[in-house]
Amino acid sequence: MTFDPAAMIPAGRDLAYAAGDATLELYRTDFDSTRKDDGSPLTLADTASERVIVPGLRALTPEIPVISEEEFANGESPAVFGDRFWLVDPLDGTREFLKRNDEFTVNIGLVDAGVPRVGILYAPALDWMYSGATGEDATPCSYTPRTPPTTPPA
């Protein structure tokens, strides 16, 4: 059976939207942050987003390991992950999240034999998403009933 990376996009989009919703729930509150061992900031939104994406990807493709930033920072990533794996940054731009400037994203990628095959980037505060797969253009996506901006953010 041939592996079709593009077939992963609809479920990946759904996970990115759900993770974005989890980040926005906290974004609208008076949240705190801590520091990881490397000194970078960490919020509950980072872990809330990861708690949506990681189990979702593991259920979708149990044979494909998931490498996620927060699990990796905690030493919880698989020691051996092979040629094909999901690469997740559940909240890219935590500093921007802390500044409340809306410039943070949920990132989900599928790597196969060292080559990115699927990419999903969602900016939940702007409600703007791009997704794409090898051999396809990256496309802006809308999420019903949401309406994306008329132009992508600069």
Side-chain angles (χ1 to χ4, degrees), residues 29-44:
T29 68
D30 186 21
F31 57 84
D32 290 322
S33 68
T34 59
R35 296 269 172 196
K36 294 188 259 187
D37 289 342
D38 67 2
S40 61
L42 176 70
T43 69
L44 289 175

Side-chain angles (χ1 to χ4, degrees), residues 7-72:
M8 303 290 117
I9 290 177
R13 285 180 190 157
D14 289 345
L15 289 171
Y17 283 123
D21 288 344
T23 64
L24 289 178
E25 282 183 32
L26 292 157
Y27 192 58
R28 296 179 183 117
T29 68
D30 186 21
F31 57 84
D32 290 322
S33 68
T34 59
R35 296 269 172 196
K36 294 188 259 187
D37 289 342
D38 67 2
S40 61
L42 176 70
T43 69
L44 289 175
D46 293 89
T47 54
S49 177
E50 186 172 76
R51 281 193 307 265
V52 170
I53 298 168
V54 172
L57 291 175
R58 288 182 176 144
L60 176 67
T61 55
E63 73 284 2
I64 301 176
V66 179
I67 310 300
S68 185
E69 182 179 8
E70 307 320 325
E71 283 190 351
F72 184 82

Side-chain angles (χ1 to χ4, degrees), residues 94-105:
T94 303
R95 288 181 180 89
E96 286 70 28
F97 185 89
L98 291 168
K99 292 177 191 174
R100 295 184 189 268
N101 69 9
D102 297 348
E103 296 177 3
F104 56 91
T105 59

